[in-house]
Amino acid sequence: MRAVTLTQGRLEVADLPVPEPGAGQLLLKVERCGICGSDLHCRLHADELADSLELCGYPRYVRSHERVVLGHEIVGEVVGYGPWTKGGLATGTEVVAIPLVRRGRQVDGVGLSAHAPGGFAEYVVVQEALSLPVPNGLPADLAALTEPMAVAWHAVKRGEVTRKDVAIVLGCGPVGLAVVSVLKAHAVGTVIASDYSAGRRALAAQCGADIVVDPAVTSPWESAAGHGFMASMPDQYNAGIDALENLSRLPVPWWTAFRALNAVGATRSKRPIVFECVGMPGLIDGIMAAAPLHSRVVVVGVCMGSDTLRPSLAVNKELDLRFAVGYTPLEFRDTLHALAEGALDASHLVTGRVGLGGVPTAFSALADPELHAKIVVDPTIEGTRIVLH
C-alpha cells in the first residue's frame, strides 16, 4: 500500500506492506483521515512530546528518529478481520474508530507511535471494540471530524458549561472552532471567540460564536463585561460589605440569612468559562492575569515547551484551572451521532482535501491561519494539489 511516513521531520510517500490485524482488530480501507494539530506538532516536536508522555507512563510515543505513519482522525471501510473478532461490523461497513490498538495489554495510539501505523495510508488497523458504524449517511469528510470534535465535546464537559454561562474561546484554529461548535450545540447562550486571524474569526462566526473579537483591537474580557463578573479584589470586598450591610437590616442574624442564601446558590460568584485553545508559552499566565475573579479556565491547547505561571494570581483570584485531553467512549459515540443527526454543525471546518502525495503541501498550508482550518486526506486523490472544499 501507499502511505505517508515521517522521519526526522521529513514527510515522504512510501510503499509499505498492508498491515495485518491482530486479535480483536479490523483492517480498514481508509476513506478519509483528518490532519490534526497533533500531527503538525509531532513533525516538529516529537521528542518533547515523547518525554512528557514517558513521564505519564507511556514510553512508545513516536521519537523523531523513528519512522511513523501519522493520522488518527480516521473513517474507513471494513475489509478484513483479525482473530477473535466478533464480526458485528460486516465487510463494507463504513466506520470511525477511537485511535487506540491493543496487543496483549500493550496499548498504542494509532498514528502517534511507530508501533501503530496511522491513517495517512490506504489501509489501517483499528480495534474492533473501539469502532462504530457511521450512521445516517454522514459524509466521509464530516465523519472524519468525529475524533477532533469529540476532543472539543470532552473539553466542554470538563468545563461544566451550562446554557446560562458565558464562554470565552481564545484561539480559533481547528480546536477552538470545534469548541465553539460544541458550545453552540449545547445551547450555551453567550460564546465569545477571539483570534488575530480574520479568516479564523469569520469561521468562528459561521460556527455560531455570538461575539467575535480581534484581540489586537478589542479585549475578549471587555466583550464579557456586563455579566456581573468581579474584575478586581476590591470589587469583591465591596460586594461582600454591601451584602452584610443589607443583611444586617433583616430581623434575623445576618449569618442565618447568609446560610439560607448559600443553600440556594445566591452567593455563588458569577464567572466566565474560558477555553485556552492556542497552546503558546505565557498564555495561561496571561489568562490568569486578565480573567475575572473565579473564572474557570479549561486548557485544551498543548504548549510544546516549558512554561511559567504565577500561582499567586490563581490563588488570589480563586481561579479554577483544568486541563482536557481526549474523550470517553460515550463522548466519542455521542459526538458521532450529533454530527449525523445535525445537532452538531461542523460543516464549516473542512476547507480542503488532499491525496497522500499532497500531505507535505497540506502541512505547509496549515501553517498559515488565513488559508485553511481543516484539511482531510483522501487516499484516492492523485497529485499534490489541495482540493478546496
Side-chain angles (χ1 to χ4, degrees):
M1 70 171 186
R2 296 170 69 238
V4 179
T5 64
L6 172 70
T7 310
Q8 298 289 7
R10 296 190 307 275
L11 294 164
E12 299 174 326
V13 179
D15 290 319
L16 301 177
V18 174
E20 295 186 8
Q25 296 175 347
L26 305 173
L27 179 66
L28 303 185
K29 182 178 181 181
V30 177
E31 295 181 353
R32 301 287 191 279
C33 186
I35 299 176
C36 177
S38 297
D39 300 318
L40 305 180
H41 292 324
C42 188
R43 184 184 187 186
L44 301 174
H45 304 283
D47 293 323
E48 293 97 320
L49 286 165
D51 288 342
S52 294
L53 288 173
E54 191 158 353
L55 291 173
C56 298
Y58 180 64
R60 288 156 64 100
Y61 189 88
V62 62
R63 293 278 178 178
S64 60
H65 67 276
E66 294 179 306
R67 191 187 201 197
V68 64
V69 178
L70 297 175
H72 57 275
E73 301 174 357
I74 301 163
V75 56
E77 175 188 343
V78 177
V79 295
Y81 306 88
W84 309 111
T85 49
K86 295 180 179 179
L89 295 167
T91 301
T93 302
E94 187 180 46
V95 301
V96 295
I98 295 174
L100 297 171
V101 290
R102 183 170 70 176
R103 294 170 179 83
R105 301 301 295 177
Q106 177 61 56
V107 180
D108 291 299
V110 174
L112 295 172
S113 170
H115 305 277
F120 294 171
E122 293 177 309
Y123 297 92
V124 67
V125 165
V126 298
Q127 204 73 27
E128 182 187 40
L130 302 180
S131 300
L132 295 170
V134 176
N136 204 29
L138 182 66
D141 284 351
L142 294 181
L145 295 181
T146 303
E147 202 277 344
M149 296 303 291
V151 171
W153 193 285
H154 177 69
V156 170
K157 290 292 186 182
R158 286 281 290 149
E160 298 183 65
V161 192
T162 71
R163 295 184 178 189
K164 295 181 180 180
D165 281 318
V166 174
I168 301 174
V169 180
L170 303 179
C172 297
V175 173
L177 293 172
V179 169
V180 169
S181 299
V182 172
L183 286 166
K184 297 313 294 185
H186 284 77
V188 175
T190 303
V191 177
I192 300 169
S194 173
D195 200 289
Y196 290 100
S197 163
R200 288 181 171 179
R201 292 196 301 274
L203 284 172
Q206 291 175 23
C207 290
D210 301 285
I211 300 171
V212 180
V213 301
D214 178 354
V217 177
T218 305
S219 164
W221 316 111
E222 293 175 5
S223 301
H227 291 276
F229 306 140
M230 296 289 181
S232 69
M233 294 173 68
D235 288 345
Q236 179 163 295
Y237 298 151
N238 277 312
I241 295 170
D242 290 342
L244 286 180
E245 288 180 347
N246 290 329
L247 291 176
S248 67
R249 299 187 180 98
L250 297 177
V252 296
W254 69 260
W255 52 89
T256 301
F258 205 116
R259 217 180 300 276
L261 292 170
N262 263 344
V264 297
T267 60
R268 187 179 302 119
S269 298
K270 294 182 178 180
R271 79 285 179 271
I273 299 174
V274 183
F275 293 89
E276 191 280 280
C277 300
V278 180
M280 294 293 289
L283 192 56
I284 297 175
D285 187 75
I287 291 171
M288 295 195 309
L293 275 64
H294 308 289
S295 294
R296 179 176 297 153
V297 182
V298 182
V299 180
V300 195
V302 182
C303 181
M304 289 297 104
S306 298
D307 203 355
T308 59
L309 54 83
R310 291 165 286 178
S312 61
L313 288 172
V315 169
N316 284 292
K317 288 187 170 185
E318 282 205 342
L319 301 178
D320 185 357
L321 186 60
R322 302 182 179 187
F323 295 82
V325 66
Y327 35 77
T328 68
L330 182 59
E331 289 166 344
F332 187 87
R333 181 265 174 205
D334 287 351
T335 300
L336 171 63
H337 282 261
L339 286 167
E341 294 161 9
L344 174 58
D345 183 8
S347 59
H348 304 291
L349 295 187
V350 178
T351 54
R353 283 187 289 123
V354 72
L356 296 173
V359 169
T361 302
F363 271 55
S364 298
L366 288 167
D368 186 341
E370 301 297 341
L371 292 179
H372 286 280
K374 194 78 175 179
I375 297 176
V376 296
V377 178
D378 177 352
T380 66
I381 294 177
E382 298 295 332
T384 61
R385 179 173 165 268
I386 298 172
V387 179
L388 298 181
H389 201 266

